[in-house]
Amino acid sequence: MKTPTEWYLIVSALLFTIGTVGVLVRRNALVIFMSIELQLNAVNLTLVAFSRQWGNLVGQVLAFFSMTVAAAEVVVGLAIIVALYRKRGTANVDDANLLRW
Amino acid sequence: MIGFPWLTVVTFAPLAGGVLLLAVPRTARNVLRWWALVVSLAVFGLSIGMLAQFHTGLAGYQLVEDVRWIPSLGVNYTMGIDGISLFMVLLTTFLTPIAVLASWNVEREPRAYFFAFLLLETATIGAFLALDLLLFFFFFEGLLFPMYLIVGGWGGRRRAYAAVKFFIYTMAGSAFLLLGILFLYFLAGSAIGHSTFDIRRLAAMPIATTTAHWLFLAFLAAFAVKVPLVPVHTWLPDAYAEAPVAGTLLLASVLAKVGAYGLIRFNLGLFPEAALYFRTLMLVLAVIAIVYGAIVAITQTDAKRLVAYSSVSHLGFVVLGTFALTLQSLSGGVLYMVNHGLSTGALFLVVGMLADRIGTRDIRRMGGLAARIPILAGVMLFFGLASIGLPGLNNFVSEFLVILGTFVTTKPYAVVAVTALVLSAIYFLWAYQRMMHGPPVIAGASDDGGGEGEEAAPEPSFAREDHRGPLRDLTAREYLIVVPLIAAILFLGLYPKPVLSRINPSAQRVVCVETIQAKRLQPGQCAGLPASAQGWTSYTPLSGSGG
Amino acid sequence: MGLIPYVPLIPLAAAVILLLTGKLWRGRSAGWLATAAIAASFALAVALLVKLDAMPAAHRELAHHVYEWITVGTFTVGVTFQADPLSIVMALTVTGIGSLIFLYSIGYMDGDERFPRYFAYLSLFVFFMLTLVLADNFLLLYVGWEGVGLCSYLLIGFWFERASAANAAKKAFIVTRIGDAAFLIGIVLVWTHFHTLEFAAVFAGAGSTAFTTRSATVIALLFLAGAAGKSAQLPLHTWLPDAMEGPTPVSALIHAATMVTAGVYLIVRSLPIIERSPDAMTTIAILGVVTSIYAGFSAIGQDDIKRVLAYSTISQVGLMIFAAGLGDPSAAIFLLVAHAFFKALLFLSAGSVIHGLHDEQDMMRMGGLRKAMPFTAVAWIIGALAIAGVPPLSGFFAKDEAVAAAGLLGRDGLWICGLIASFLTAVYMGRATFMVFFGAPRYEGEPHEPAPVMRVPMGVLAFGTLFAGLLGVSPTTGILPTYLGAPVFPSNAPSEFVLDTIAVVLALLGLGLAWFAYGSGRIDWVALRVRFAWVKRPLQRGLYVDDAYGLVLGDGGKLAAAALAAFDRSWVDGLVGLVAHATESLASVGRRLQTGLVRTYAAAFLLGAVCVLWFLVLRAT
């Protein structure tokens, strides 16, 4: 018997929520990135689950795209964080508030 | 159409000269100022040529240029001149070379400075000549920028504050103007089937009463700030006092007139019925300006602010003449604009010359100057007497005409306005006596280090002479500035006929034709109007191509 | 006739030349130029007089239109000069007495560093005064009117290094301007009624029934206000005593003979309008005589020799206006002409005394001068006797003709007031004469008589004072009255002889009283001054009218103006500032959105994304 798609969706939602909360709450830039990754992977899970449900490969292909974009984004993001860390000596996101009023 | 596009040439020649000016290196001050002088004199010459083309006795717009500009929006480049705007343009072109001469010794960034002045000249002339509302708005706003630069860049100690205040205040009024213009545009779309900004068509268009009233107020908002009328006048003392002398000259003599001109051309011309409805309000505001400006002028200790407030008082007369709606009062009002530009402008120049020599504009720190610089004292007395309306000099003619015209229809306002005669004598003679009469005060002797408030502080000086040194009477350059003004004032006082004969038909058209649509005010004076004074009551639609 | 414009224009030319090239004129040459110019004007005026005389009495008028000045629609004013009997008499007075005073000035102002400038201003004054009297319309008259005010300002403040002179000049200009403003409204009113400002047309229309008495009254009162300002009548008289700060020849010419009489000229000229309102006429007469009495009393309390003469002028001009208000213009003008002679003579004599005593003006420091300065003393005494009204000097004929007119018209109340004024004249003139020229000398130094160039004009004026009475021996048949238009007195009038006798008796009484108090030595008047200081002080201060003005209008006005200025600064400008602050406050609330924290922005992203999704979902359902 197939596992109901809803269960996958619930798991995915939970993962996404955890990731969102992590982005909003955590101060360390790396942890924020990890949370973003978590969000992206949650979305991937959703895509694959739907792919399984409809019986076509569309979702899986999209998941591939998503993973590629995630990878690229991580590369750029980590580069920025490293540069920032080298300049500021901190990875704390709250310290980069020069655009404050 | 017409052969030589006089109006466009006169309007844009200063800008062309200014652009060429930008090619000169910024340190070549001599070349820069001579070039600016040559350009402004050439423009004056061109405007005389334009004057020669003007037909006296015709009331309508002459030398009209009508070119399609943005057809999809219905915006045209339309310029025209009539008796009312003719002398405004001449005043501008006459005073700009004098302003250049007055700024001869500018130290800082002369290239930008003179370019700003030429740009200002273009925008002001354009504002007087535009017959298309959007074009007018373009020039109207356009003259704010160079003025802001001039005040802010080369002004006195509080120039930043004054410049910003001036800019924002005026622009706030203009916001309403833009609203009104756009509203008219769309109204035209439904009323005559063709959205347009052309004031000739808009004047012929019927507008619902309440709409006209709101539009009148919208236009009034902008022009009231510009003139200025009390109580929206408080930008004026700061801007006039902090601007460099040439800037104040043009501010008072020309920019203020754009506002008064706007009241005549647009408020009266486009909304005659609303003008009649609001007539009492406008007359009251005018009279308040006259008396209020004069009284506050009495208390001023800064010479420039004193003349600035006197300017408010004089411009009240112009508005009074405009809304008394008789031929004499309107003609007098237009003539007053010219006269005021000359006499008050001259006073500002003289005050500037004094400040250059003494290092302060504070009247209380001057004394007994007439013994040491008699010619300058005499010149100042001459201009002051012209300003307070001594018969034989220019202001008297226009002042009397305004009072006469106002008295005919609305007696109380004329009577109150006459008190200005006494009040103006009080503030001017007090200032003159304090500065010129009495035992001579050694310049700078009362320099106790701390100034008495901001008005007393010396401003960046354009004079080469060290102002703590011996007082020198007029230099050759200053003679060049002063003599044309004296000649003009005497001429207009003794023989105003050539000017009046050109103003009268257009003024008569505004009073008789355009307000007759609303209500016949002075049946006697409009009967038997010659055909030429009917102006252009029939509108010929635009042809397909511009030429 | 083409001659007329040259009468004012020649002095104008002299003025312009001297203004522009003043420094080039060495020594006293500038004075001679100016004197030549005004003498030329006088000659032209005489020529015009001859010409006019040759014309039939009813049409004595010459006009010359120079050019059209202002034209707007139906309103048109031209520069046109006219010569008729009234204006020629005025012109002759101005240029004649003026020439003599110019001559005197050459001596008086000799050595002053601004000598040419002085004569430029004087010539300019003559130009404006002549424009005033030769104008053929009200606006041109107004040009001259204000012009003489300007020249008065320039000349009173000629020695402007003295703060008192500068103040006096300013005061003169401003006080007269109050009258000028009223006058201007009167002119505007004339236009609204008659649609022209030309005298001929206006006066022709004044007789019509369409011109109501009420309108006439308003116009007349406005003109009176203007005249009161220019001629220093109550309540606008306070500038004249202070105007004595100017050089004495200026006081003689402007503040005795000519400018202050401009108001009289205006009223006489406008009589066709004013006569339409009996109330206005009475008001004018009352104002004239009340001013005259007030000034007479004030003159008694003055110690400065020039201020005595100043108040005397106010008093005499009051009598002229009194006569005009009674409807006897020829008496008014006759007094004007005679007064020009003897007042100028008195001022020049006073100037001679001041000059001789090295700028001493306080009569307490004079006394017994008739021995040291006999010529001046004789000149002064002639003038004093004339003004007091002793026959057969001109003053008797002129002044008493004015006062007698009231009696002849049966207006006894006014007549008695006029007599009081005359009596006071004799008293204060006697007092001044005895204080200065008689008694024990109280002065210091060696006084000297003036130079010949100053003595000649004094002599000519004395001669005129003695014999000018011939111009109007009888109010109805004299030369001047017939020339100007004699009044018609009711047949039951008391005889002229009786009235004149009463007047002479009063004059002698007044002089006798003055002699008794100051000249006879029987009364220690020096001690009396101290004892009666409580009487003298108010008289000297002109019953504190000027001081009251200073307090109420001067200080009060300054307070009001300062209050308005403060209002402007704090409230009106404050409103603008308020707008700026309001904008700033709003902005400072709004800017808190910009936390600069990445997390806040991330939350904003989330919120936005949710909203968009919600919207899309809602739309799909």
Side-chain angles (χ1 to χ4, degrees):
Chain A
M1 180 186 95
K2 258 169 56 168
T3 28
T5 320
E6 294 82 11
W7 290 18
Y8 287 102
L9 292 181
I10 292 171
V11 171
S12 167
L14 280 171
L15 283 175
F16 190 84
T17 314
I18 295 172
T20 311
V21 171
V23 167
L24 292 176
V25 171
R26 298 302 294 260
R27 279 174 310 225
N28 191 310
L30 285 169
V31 174
I32 292 179
F33 259 86
M34 287 195 290
S35 309
I36 293 177
E37 283 308 302
L38 202 51
Q39 286 176 305
L40 284 166
N41 281 306
V43 170
N44 286 342
L45 185 56
T46 312
L47 286 168
V48 169
F50 275 114
S51 163
R52 178 174 162 274
Q53 182 182 3
W54 301 124
N56 58 25
L57 288 174
V58 172
Q60 294 179 27
V61 171
L62 271 173
F64 260 109
F65 274 113
S66 170
M67 279 189 260
T68 315
V69 168
E73 168 234 328
V74 164
V75 164
V76 174
L78 281 177
I80 293 177
I81 292 178
V82 167
L84 212 63
Y85 182 77
R86 282 193 186 148
K87 188 99 167 59
R88 294 298 178 95
T90 172
N92 189 333
V93 135
D94 282 348
D95 290 337
N97 62 354
L98 281 178
L99 279 180
R100 184 187 161 80
W101 61 264
Chain B
M1 282 178 39
I2 28 110
F4 183 72
W6 281 101
L7 300 186
T8 309
V9 169
V10 172
T11 308
F12 289 105
L15 182 60
V19 165
L20 288 174
L21 189 83
L22 290 175
V24 177
R26 26 207 308 237
T27 45
R29 187 169 78 148
N30 226 14
V31 178
L32 286 167
R33 59 191 186 184
W34 275 104
W35 178 243
L37 185 64
V38 165
V39 168
S40 50
L41 282 172
V43 174
F44 179 61
L46 282 171
S47 65
I48 298 287
M50 178 187 76
L51 172 68
Q53 300 291 316
F54 188 86
H55 292 282
T56 319
L58 285 185
Y61 297 115
Q62 304 184 29
L63 303 176
V64 176
E65 299 164 25
D66 209 348
V67 179
R68 288 207 123 92
W69 188 16
I70 314 175
S72 51
L73 289 178
V75 181
N76 290 323
Y77 174 83
T78 317
M79 307 269 257
I81 198 168
D82 75 346
I84 298 175
S85 41
L86 174 66
F87 291 102
M88 298 292 99
V89 173
L90 280 173
L91 185 69
T92 313
T93 57
F94 178 73
L95 286 176
T96 308
I98 293 184
V100 170
L101 274 175
S103 320
W104 206 244
N105 293 317
V106 60
E107 300 277 336
R108 197 178 90 78
E109 292 293 334
R111 186 173 68 175
Y113 184 83
F114 287 116
F115 178 71
F117 269 92
L118 291 173
L119 188 60
L120 185 68
E121 195 182 0
T122 293
T124 337
I125 299 178
F128 286 128
L129 295 177
L131 291 184
D132 181 287
L133 274 177
L134 204 65
L135 187 64
F136 171 79
F137 188 77
F138 173 70
F139 283 120
F140 189 71
E141 294 295 287
L143 53 81
L144 286 184
F145 285 103
M147 205 66 233
Y148 170 79
L149 284 176
I150 292 170
V151 175
W154 289 270
R157 265 187 21 160
R158 287 172 75 214
R159 58 186 181 273
Y161 170 76
V164 172
K165 194 169 174 184
F166 157 73
F167 191 85
I168 294 183
Y169 215 140
T170 322
M171 191 154 260
S174 316
F176 292 101
L177 175 65
L178 184 60
L179 265 177
I181 291 178
L182 289 174
F183 194 93
L184 266 180
Y185 173 75
F186 289 114
L187 192 64
S190 50
I192 57 180
H194 183 110
S195 308
T196 177
F197 289 104
D198 191 326
I199 60 173
R200 298 170 297 176
R201 306 186 79 170
L202 291 171
M205 176 179 83
I207 308 179
T209 314
T210 6
T211 318
H213 290 179
W214 282 109
L215 285 170
F216 181 91
L217 288 175
F219 276 67
L220 177 66
F223 298 131
V225 174
K226 205 97 188 91
V227 169
L229 285 171
V230 175
V232 289
H233 65 286
T234 50
W235 61 267
L236 182 142
D238 292 311
Y240 279 34
E242 301 300 327
V245 172
T248 316
L249 170 69
L250 288 178
L251 257 178
S253 304
V254 169
L255 262 69
K257 307 309 181 310
V258 178
Y261 165 83
L263 283 174
I264 299 177
R265 179 71 80 220
F266 304 115
N267 285 59
L268 275 190
L270 293 176
F271 316 114
E273 208 277 317
L276 274 167
Y277 182 82
F278 285 110
R279 192 156 156 248
T280 314
L281 170 70
M282 296 308 297
L283 289 174
V284 169
L285 283 178
V287 163
I288 290 179
I290 294 175
V291 177
Y292 187 100
I295 293 181
V296 178
I298 295 177
T299 64
Q300 297 303 313
T301 52
D302 177 335
K304 241 173 157 187
R305 288 181 95 100
L306 188 144
V307 185
Y309 274 106
S310 85
S311 190
V312 172
S313 182
H314 287 303
L315 288 166
F317 267 100
V318 177
V319 178
L320 185 71
T322 306
F323 284 93
L325 289 176
T326 61
L327 175 59
Q328 284 79 25
S329 72
L330 186 60
S331 271
V334 175
L335 185 63
Y336 209 118
M337 290 202 273
V338 179
N339 288 338
H340 168 265
L342 291 172
S343 56
T344 303
L347 268 180
F348 277 118
L349 285 170
V350 168
V351 167
M353 290 178 200
L354 272 177
D356 278 350
R357 286 163 169 76
I358 315 254
T360 175
R361 296 193 311 260
D362 190 339
I363 299 177
R364 297 166 299 188
R365 289 168 75 160
M366 304 185 205
L369 290 173
R372 306 176 63 191
I373 37 175
I375 302 185
L376 184 55
V379 166
M380 178 171 183
L381 184 65
F382 180 85
F383 291 137
L385 290 171
S387 173
I388 66 176
L390 191 77
L393 300 178
N394 60 357
N395 274 38
F396 172 70
V397 179
S398 44
E399 203 170 79
F400 183 76
L401 282 172
V402 169
I403 292 177
L404 185 83
T406 310
F407 194 86
V408 169
T409 49
T410 47
K411 286 190 179 48
Y413 299 104
V415 174
V416 177
V418 161
T419 59
L421 239 76
V422 180
L423 292 171
S424 61
I426 293 179
Y427 63 68
F428 176 69
L429 287 182
W430 169 78
Y432 186 76
Q433 182 196 340
R434 192 70 179 74
M435 287 196 272
M436 300 294 174
H437 289 167
V441 162
I442 303 169
S446 53
D447 185 11
D448 43 302
E452 291 129 1
E454 295 161 283
E455 278 86 70
E459 53 183 27
S461 162
F462 283 157
R464 278 238 197 92
E465 298 94 12
D466 171 21
H467 55 235
R468 291 284 187 267
L471 289 180
R472 256 175 268 185
D473 222 331
L474 292 183
T475 64
R477 173 182 67 94
E478 289 167 337
Y479 270 111
L480 273 177
I481 294 176
V482 155
V483 167
L485 286 168
I486 294 180
I489 288 176
L490 274 173
F491 181 77
L492 284 175
L494 296 172
Y495 193 54
K497 192 155 170 234
V499 175
L500 278 174
S501 59
R502 286 174 174 79
I503 297 178
N504 285 340
S506 307
Q508 197 163 36
R509 181 180 63 117
V510 172
V511 170
C512 297
V513 175
E514 289 178 344
T515 54
I516 262 177
Q517 287 170 5
K519 188 158 80 178
R520 211 172 253 272
L521 262 191
Q522 283 286 98
Q525 73 178 7
C526 292
L529 210 59
S532 61
Q534 295 289 339
W536 72 274
T537 40
S538 58
Y539 174 67
T540 47
L542 283 174
S543 54
S545 60
Chain C
M1 185 44 223
L3 271 183
I4 309 183
Y6 287 104
V7 177
L9 284 177
I10 298 180
L12 176 66
V16 170
I17 293 175
L18 286 173
L19 270 175
L20 292 177
T21 62
K23 291 207 180 62
L24 302 175
W25 296 80
R26 302 250 157 260
R28 317 211 283 195
S29 48
W32 292 110
L33 173 74
T35 312
I38 190 175
S41 282
F42 179 70
L44 282 176
V46 171
L48 283 168
L49 173 72
V50 168
K51 215 177 169 97
L52 274 182
D53 218 26
M55 298 165 73
H59 301 289
R60 285 211 177 113
E61 204 174 285
L62 294 164
H64 183 90
H65 176 76
V66 181
Y67 72 97
E68 205 175 280
W69 185 23
I70 308 176
T71 306
V72 179
T74 51
F75 175 75
T76 163
V77 172
V79 172
T80 309
F81 293 107
Q82 65 153 28
D84 71 351
L86 177 61
S87 41
I88 278 297
V89 168
M90 296 291 300
L92 284 169
T93 310
V94 170
T95 49
I97 309 273
S99 309
L100 295 170
I101 295 181
F102 272 50
L103 200 60
Y104 180 92
S105 297
I106 298 180
Y108 192 85
M109 300 295 288
D110 192 6
D112 192 294
E113 57 172 347
R114 288 199 300 272
F115 189 84
R117 189 70 83 83
Y118 172 84
F119 281 97
Y121 290 158
L122 266 186
S123 305
L124 192 66
F125 167 81
V126 171
F127 160 71
F128 278 121
M129 191 69 206
L130 287 171
T131 305
L132 201 162
V133 299
L134 291 173
D136 96 316
N137 63 69
F138 278 105
L139 206 62
L140 191 59
L141 191 153
Y142 188 78
V143 172
W145 188 270
E146 285 244 22
V148 297
L150 166 71
C151 296
S152 174
Y153 169 82
L154 291 171
L155 285 163
I156 295 174
F158 188 70
W159 291 316
F160 53 73
E161 291 89 350
R162 274 215 308 258
S164 53
N167 276 327
K170 182 180 64 168
K171 187 170 172 183
F173 196 91
I174 292 176
V175 173
T176 49
R177 222 169 203 222
I178 299 175
D180 296 347
F183 183 25
L184 194 69
I185 300 197
I187 295 181
V188 172
L189 260 175
V190 167
W191 192 77
T192 40
H193 284 292
F194 298 102
H195 283 286
T196 174
L197 289 176
E198 290 172 28
F199 292 150
V202 170
F203 298 145
S208 79
T209 44
F211 184 56
T212 63
T213 311
R214 196 166 156 272
S215 317
T217 311
V218 175
I219 295 180
L221 290 177
L222 287 170
F223 279 10
L224 177 64
K230 205 52 112 197
S231 299
Q233 301 295 291
L234 280 172
L236 295 172
H237 65 285
T238 53
W239 62 271
L240 190 54
D242 289 342
M244 297 297 113
E245 291 278 346
T248 307
V250 168
S251 308
L253 181 61
I254 299 185
H255 305 125
T258 49
M259 185 178 105
V260 292
T261 55
V264 181
Y265 169 77
L266 175 68
I267 294 182
V268 171
R269 176 63 81 190
S270 313
L271 271 180
I273 296 180
I274 301 178
E275 273 169 346
R276 286 295 310 271
S277 164
D279 290 331
M281 293 287 277
T282 313
T283 313
I284 293 176
I286 294 179
L287 184 72
V289 81
V290 167
T291 305
S292 195
I293 296 179
Y294 159 83
F297 274 115
S298 300
I300 297 180
Q302 300 302 319
D303 285 337
D304 181 323
I305 191 174
K306 283 180 75 175
R307 286 180 88 102
V308 174
L309 295 178
Y311 276 105
S312 168
T313 305
I314 298 177
S315 183
Q316 297 302 303
V317 174
L319 283 178
M320 294 178 215
I321 292 192
F322 172 66
L326 289 171
D328 190 353
S330 56
I333 300 296
F334 184 28
L335 181 56
L336 193 157
V337 175
H339 175 263
F341 274 105
F342 52 70
K343 194 43 77 58
L345 178 62
L346 282 168
F347 264 110
L348 295 193
S349 310
S352 175
V353 168
I354 295 171
H355 212 236
L357 288 177
H358 300 290
D359 296 321
E360 178 59 67
Q361 291 183 212
D362 188 347
M363 294 196 293
M364 289 303 289
R365 288 205 273 271
M366 300 176 188
L369 275 174
R370 75 179 189 286
K371 301 200 183 85
M373 305 175 74
F375 178 83
T376 306
V378 167
W380 171 281
I381 290 173
I382 293 178
L385 288 175
I387 197 175
V390 173
L393 274 69
S394 55
F396 159 68
F397 290 108
K399 188 154 66 81
D400 296 311
E401 189 176 306
V403 174
L408 289 169
L409 286 169
R411 304 175 78 166
D412 294 328
L414 288 174
W415 175 60
I416 293 180
C417 291
L419 285 178
I420 296 176
S422 292
F423 175 71
L424 288 171
T425 310
V427 172
Y428 65 69
M429 276 322 290
R431 169 179 178 268
T433 312
F434 290 118
M435 274 178 86
V436 175
F437 291 103
F438 291 84
R442 295 185 300 280
Y443 57 84
E444 297 162 2
E446 292 289 323
H448 58 274
E449 285 277 34
V453 78
M454 289 162 73
R455 276 189 270 183
V456 166
M458 287 166 72
V460 175
L461 284 172
F463 184 80
T465 308
L466 285 169
F467 297 110
L470 289 170
L471 286 173
V473 173
S474 158
T476 40
T477 55
I479 304 176
L480 208 59
T482 34
Y483 196 60
L484 292 175
V488 176
F489 295 118
S491 50
N492 63 346
S495 88
E496 285 173 37
F497 186 72
V498 172
L499 295 172
D500 289 346
T501 317
I502 298 179
V504 173
V505 166
L506 274 175
L508 293 173
L509 217 70
L511 286 173
L513 182 64
W515 171 78
F516 182 70
Y518 292 93
S520 67
R522 273 172 233 200
I523 295 190
D524 184 3
W525 56 270
V526 181
L528 268 183
R529 276 169 62 93
V530 180
R531 257 203 70 193
F532 282 98
W534 59 273
V535 175
K536 182 182 177 301
R537 194 99 226 295
L539 289 181
Q540 186 177 26
R541 301 294 303 168
L543 295 178
Y544 299 115
V545 174
D546 189 31
D547 299 315
Y549 283 160
L551 207 68
V552 174
L553 294 175
D555 297 335
K558 281 201 196 99
L559 234 89
L564 193 65
F567 168 76
D568 187 60
R569 243 192 339 267
S570 40
W571 285 78
V572 183
D573 205 17
L575 208 69
V576 176
L578 200 72
V579 171
H581 279 124
T583 317
E584 229 177 312
S585 313
L586 212 67
S588 65
V589 166
R591 73 180 177 178
R592 282 172 212 283
L593 276 173
Q594 302 297 318
T595 57
L597 296 173
V598 176
R599 294 188 292 157
T600 320
Y601 299 148
F605 285 173
L606 186 63
L607 197 66
V610 166
C611 288
V612 170
L613 274 174
W614 193 294
F615 176 69
L616 286 172
V617 165
L618 276 175
R619 228 165 60 119
T621 52

